[in-house]
Amino acid sequence: MNASPPTIIAIDGPAASGKGTLARRLAEYYGFAHLDTGGLYRAVGLAVLRQGGDPADSAQAIKVAQALDAAQLAGLMADPALRSEPASDAASKVAAVPAVRQALYDFQRRFAAAPPNGAPGAVLDGRDIGTVICPEAPAKLFITASAEVRATRRVQELQSRGITAIYAAVLEDMKSRDARDSQREVAPLKPADDAFLLDTSLLNADQAFEKAVSFISTKVSALAENG
Ligand code: C5P
């Protein structure tokens, strides 16, 4: 049993900023658990789509989010369709509904308070981790990159999975998702006041990782000797 509370690393940023890759890598490096919170909103969006519903209909989204149990959530989070563009779009629509966010809040808080498998800490990545879910996290990072760089990365990612992608369409989708995520009233995408801003437009994954580790070592003394 670990006596001290888990160490939380909060990572936020827009789509394809590199935050997911960075979060997974940091979790592995420190031996922490990792939660991709975007997957939770994608799971709700996908479940609405699978029921033949409309993700823009908040009543339907709320009903689905409140009814999801842990086993269904785990199944949806492992579903390859979770990464599809329709699921991305549905996720950002259901994510704008306050009661949907509330329904997923406890799951995220529990993960941070008691990371799975007794891990001594957790890395959570999303849009509102540093501002709403874990404002007490000692290390907060906000990862950005230009929309053009992010669209290029997303096209490469889709192509590597054998999915045909048109750059202009991906860029357009990304910009409308960014606008929806940043302009919504509840938990909009924005850096916490004390977040470290990391623009990865001109960085590769290794460089972003090194910068993140050196920032974290200044914030969490127990992790300094690892860095
Ligand atoms: O990170 P990802 O692209 O998988 O997130 C999908 C969508 O889920 C985002 O566009 C955003 O609308 C929503 N989201 C959110 N809050 C989070 C994580 C994701 O609103 N913490």
Side-chain angles (χ1 to χ4, degrees), residues 177-191:
R177 194 141 73 93
D178 281 356
R180 207 154 45 219
D181 289 350
S182 318
Q183 289 161 17
R184 68 182 177 215
E185 278 180 25
V186 57
L189 170 68
K190 65 164 190 217

Side-chain angles (χ1 to χ4, degrees), residues 111-133:
F111 190 98
N117 305 319
V123 182
L124 283 83
D125 77 80
R127 302 290 188 289
D128 63 342
I129 308 305
T131 50
V132 175
I133 304 296

Side-chain angles (χ1 to χ4, degrees), residues 3 7 24 36 39 52-53 64 71 87 95 132 137 147 155 176 184 204-205:
T7 302
R24 268 190 300 280
D36 160 19
V64 166
V132 175
V155 168
S176 61
R184 68 182 177 215
N204 64 30

Side-chain angles (χ1 to χ4, degrees), residues 12-16 19 36-39 41-42 83 87-88 91-93 95-96 101 108 125-129 133 154 177 181 184 187:
D12 291 303
K19 67 182 188 316
D36 160 19
T37 66
Y41 295 92
R42 285 169 182 270
R83 299 284 138 211
S88 307
S92 82
K93 288 180 177 150
R101 305 196 71 83
Q108 297 172 77
D125 77 80
R127 302 290 188 289
D128 63 342
I129 308 305
I133 304 296
R154 182 49 55 88
R177 194 141 73 93
D181 289 350
R184 68 182 177 215

Side-chain angles (χ1 to χ4, degrees), residues 34-95:
H34 170 229
L35 180 62
D36 160 19
T37 66
L40 302 173
Y41 295 92
R42 285 169 182 270
V44 174
L46 188 59
V48 172
L49 291 176
R50 292 225 165 124
Q51 291 179 11
D54 175 5
D57 178 336
S58 21
Q60 289 179 28
I62 294 167
K63 211 165 140 207
V64 166
Q66 290 177 343
L68 272 185
D69 63 29
Q72 288 169 313
L73 205 50
L76 286 162
M77 299 262 293
D79 193 313
L82 201 74
R83 299 284 138 211
S84 67
E85 285 307 297
S88 307
D89 187 66
S92 82
K93 288 180 177 150
V94 302

